[in-house]
Amino acid sequence: MKVMSVIREDTITQFMDTFSFEAKQNNVTLIPEVRSTLLSDVLSRAEPIISSSNEEELQTWLGTRLQLLIPGLNESLVELILTNASCRGAQIIIQTLNARISEFTTNIQRQLYNGIRTYLRKGPKPRCYNVSDPALNSTAWFANYFGKFLKYTSTDDLALLTDNATLQIFAANQENLILLNSIELPEDVQRFYASALFENAVFNASSIPDSLVCFVVDTPTTVQSLTAQQAEIILQKANRACQNLSTNGTTPTDEQLQFAVSLVNKIDSFSNETLGNLGQSAVGLSTTQINNISDNDILLSLDSLSEVNGWTMGSVFALVTKLTRVGFQFNNATNLLKMGTLVSGLSSEAIRNVSSSEMVTAVKDATFVENILLAPEPVQVLVVQKVIVSSNNPITAIQRVPDQLASKIFLPRLISKNIGLPLVNNKQWKPEQAAVFFGTLTENSTINFDDVSASVLQGFSCIAGNNLNSDQFLQFVKATKGKPSLTQDQLICMTRRLNSSGKPGNISALPEDVLLFYDPETFANEPCENFVRAVGRANITILSRGSARRKNLLTNAQRCLKFSNVNLSKDNVTILNNLTCDYEGDIKTADISILETLKNCVEYTPAQRDAIDFLLNQNSTFGDPSNWTESTLENLGSLVFAISRSTWNKVRKTVILKGLRQYVRRQSRYQLQQKQDLLSGLSLQTRSRRETGCTSDQITAAMTFDVMLPAQYSPTDLNACLDNNILKDRLSQLGTLAFSKEQLEMLKTKLSEIYPAGLPEEKIQLLGFIAVAYNSTEISTWNITKVETVSALLPNSQSDIARKAIVSRYLEAGGVLDANVLNLIGGNVLCLLDESQIQAISATEISNASTLNISSCSQSKKTLIYNKAKSIIEKQTSDSVIYYNQMKTYLAAATTADLRTLAADTINMDPSVFLTLNPEQVKTLSPGDLRNLLGVNLQTVKDAENSTLVQMWIGQHTVSEVRSLKIGLTGGSPDIIPPDVISIQEIDSSSSSINKNCLLCTIQSLSISIIIIVLQRLL
C-alpha cells in the first residue's frame, strides 16, 4: 500500500471518491487481506472527517466511498470509526453494518458487536437516550444501536448498558419487539428481556414475540392485569413457542406451570373449542374449573387433554371422574391409549376391569408405559399383574412386561430355571428380585459379568457365589467396579471370598466399596496412599456413621498420610475425598478445597456446618455472599444446607428465590427435614408482630407452584394470605411444598375450616406432606377405603403410630392386606398390627410380597409371619439359593431344625440375617452346624461375640467346642474329662501370645510323663 503513504487527511476524501468510482467502473474485487489493510489505512486518516460529517455526507462515506471496504471491518476498526461519532452518526453506521451483516463471518459479527458495546458503554447510562431530547428520546434503542448484532449480547451486558427502569421502556417498544422476532437470543437473555417487558404495565399482549411468551411466568402480577382475550392470545403464542421447553420433553418446569395457571385463570368459561386451544396450558386448570366444565366437553376435548404433560393429581383425578360419568370405557387398549397422559389418574378398580389381553396390547405402547409410571403405585402393580397372568409360560410373561415396570413383578413369578441374561438384563429390578434369578444365571459357566447390567448384579448373594469358581468370582467382583453400590452384607461376602482364595489382588482392580472392609496392611506391596485414595472414592455411607469400621477408615488414613487435626493440606483433602465427611479436625484451618469434598456428604454435624459457613465467608472460590448468583448456589451443592441465617442475609433475595429451587423441589434427592430446615432458615419473612391481616402479597393459584413459597410466608401470613378456595383447588400442589411443621399445622387448621365434617377421601389422597400434621387420633376418623389412599398417605406419615392408624382404618373399611398393600406398608408397620390382623393375611400374599423386614416384630408375630411364608415358598422352589433369598428376612423365627436344614445347603448366611436369629433356636446348633450355616461368613460369630445371640450359644457349648470354630472365639463351659484320660488342652493358633519354645518344652515333658505311666501299668 505504498500509494497510501502519500495520501493525507486533506486528500483522503478525494482519493476515496476516485477509488470508489474506478473500482465500481472496473468491477474490482479485493482479497480480504488487502481490503482490511486498505480500510485500516483509510480510517486512520478519514475518522476525523467521518465523525464530523453531517448525515448526508456520512451516508456517502458508508454507501459509496467505503462500500467496497466495509467487509474488512473488525472490532478495533469499528471502535475507531465509532470513537468520536455522534449518537445519530453511530446509528447510521450501525444501520449500515446491519444491512450488510450477512457479509461478515460469525466471528467478525461478534467482534463488531463488541465494538458497538464499547461505544455505548461510554457516557451516561444508557448512552444515546434522553427522554427530554427530541433527537434522543426514541425508545427503539435496541433496533437503533444494535440491530441484529443484539443476538450476541448477554444479561451482564444489558445490565451494564441500561438501568432496569429504562430497560422496561425499551423492552415494550414495537421496533425492538420486531427485531427480537427476527433473531435468536440466548435463553437467559430472553428471560431477562421478558422480565423487563412484563414489568411494563402498558405492554401490548398481541405484539409479544412468541419466544418471549415462554418467560411470562416470572411476572405473575402482569398476567393478573390481562383481559381474557389477551390471555387467550398469549396462550396461542405459547402453544406455538413453548411446547418443547418441558424437561425431557415431558414434564413442564415449575415456571411453565405458573405460566399456565396464571393465564388459564383469566378465562371465564371453557367450551371444548377453548379447551382444544389451551393446548399444554390446560395443565393450569384447577379442580373447580374442571368440575364446572360439562362432562361432554371434556370428552370432546380428549384428544387435546390427553397430550398435556404435568397434570397434578387433583386435576387428573377430576378429569378421569368426568370421563367416567360420561360413560367413557377404560376396559380396552384403544381407549387406554386414547387417554394419553390421563391414564395416570385411573384407579385400581378401573384397571381390574381391563382384561389381560387388552393390557398386553396397551403396554406395547411406549407412551402408555411412560404415562402409567406417573400413576399411583398400586395401579402400576395391577397393570403388571394383568400382563403377568396373560401367559402360563413364565419366560413369555416376563418378556411382556415393559423394562421400566419390571420392578412390580411379584417374586414367585421370577422363579424359573429357564431365565437367561438376555431376558432380564435390560429390565429395572429391585435387589430382592434380582436375587431370585441371580443364582440361576451363575449356573451358566459361560456368563461374562462385564456384560451384566448393574440392575442384575445387585442380585448377588453369598449363597449364589457358591456357583462360581475363583476365577469367575474375581471377574464378577471386577465387573461391579463403577456400578451402583452393593449392600454391606454383599461386600463383606466379597471380601471374605476373595481372602479365602488368597490375596485379593491389586487395589486398582477392585471396586472401591469392597476396600471399605480391608485395611491397608492387606496390600503391603502398594503404597498406603493408594489405598486411602481408593477408599476416599468409596461410598462410605454403606457403613453407619460412628461405627468402628468407619472410624477405622479415617484412623488408617491419618496413620498413612500423617496429617494432624489442623491445617489439612490440599493434597490430603484430595486424597481423603469422601473421608473428609468424617474428618474431626479443625475444618476452618483446612485448605479451602475441602468445601468441594464436603459437598459429597449426606449430612453435616453442627461443627461441620459452622466450619462450612465460616469458610464460605472467607476468601473461598465462591466469592463474597453478597455477590453470589444463581450459578453460585447451583455450584454450592449440598453446602447450602450448612449455611447460616446470617450468611443468607447477605445474599440477594432474588438470587435465593431462584437459586434454591432445585434443592427444595419434591423431586430432589434431599430429605423433607433438610428442605424444611433450609427454607425456615432463610429469614425472608418480614412481618411485624403488631401487623394483622395479610401483610404480603395474596397467594395466587400460580404461586402454589413456587417451591420457595414456604420461605416467604410465616405461619400467620400463610393463614392470612392463602384464600381457602386456593387451598381447596390447589391442595395436591401445596402438598408437595416443604412447609415447616408450624406452617403445616396452619394448613391443617384451614382445611378443618373448609371441611368441618372431615376430609373427603379424594382430598385425603392429595394431602402430600400436609399429612405429616395429622396424628393417629385424627387419622382414626378418616374414611380410607381405597388402596390408592393408603399409597398416598404412608410415604408422608412421619411416625409408625400414624402409619398403623392408616392401615387399621383401611382394614376396618373392608380392605385386604394383599401383596400390593404389604409392599406399601413394609415390615415395620406390619409388626405394629395386631396378631389377629396378621393372622388374617393370606400366606400366598406374604410370599408374593417383596421381602419384608420384620426385625421389629415380637417373637410371636415373627413366628406367625415366618410360618405363613415358609408354607408357600418351600412349595414354590427346591432351589436353596432362591429359597434362602426369599425367606431370609423371615428367618428370625426359624427353628433349630430349619436352621440345620439350611446349614446342610451351606448357604453362607448373611451377617445381618444371622444376627436376627432367635438365640433360643441357635444355641443348640453344633459348631459344625454354625460352620455350614455361615460358610465364608463364619467370622461373623467372632465379630458379634458380645451379642446375646453368640453369648447364649457359647454358654451352651464347651470350651473345646467353642474353640473348634478356629476364629479366636473364647469361653464356654469346662470340658468333662474322664478320670483315666489326660487332656491336652488345645491352644488356639490365632493367639499371638503363644511362646512356641515353651509350648514345645511342655509337650515334650508331658510326652515323657505319659510314657512312664504307661510302662508302670504294663509292668
Side-chain angles (χ1 to χ4, degrees), residues 261 264-265 282-293 312 314-315 318 701 729-730:
V261 172
V264 169
N265 272 357
V283 73
L285 289 167
S286 70
T287 53
T288 297
Q289 287 173 318
I290 292 170
N291 290 335
N292 288 336
I293 301 171
T312 65
S315 295
D729 263 355
R730 303 292 172 177

Side-chain angles (χ1 to χ4, degrees), residues 835 857-865 893:
E835 287 195 20
C857 283
S858 65
Q859 193 59 49
S860 60
K861 290 179 183 177
K862 288 176 183 177
T863 301
L864 186 57
I865 296 168

Side-chain angles (χ1 to χ4, degrees), residues 282-337:
V283 73
L285 289 167
S286 70
T287 53
T288 297
Q289 287 173 318
I290 292 170
N291 290 335
N292 288 336
I293 301 171
S294 76
D295 298 347
N296 196 53
D297 279 337
I298 293 291
L299 179 61
L300 293 174
S301 308
L302 183 57
D303 287 345
S304 173
L305 296 174
S306 64
E307 295 182 358
V308 174
N309 297 306
W311 292 113
T312 65
M313 293 310 294
S315 295
V316 77
F317 287 164
L319 288 167
V320 170
T321 300
K322 286 280 191 180
L323 290 173
T324 303
R325 285 210 299 255
V326 83
F328 186 82
Q329 297 297 308
F330 307 115
N331 60 1
N332 61 80
T334 300
N335 280 358
L336 287 175
L337 298 183

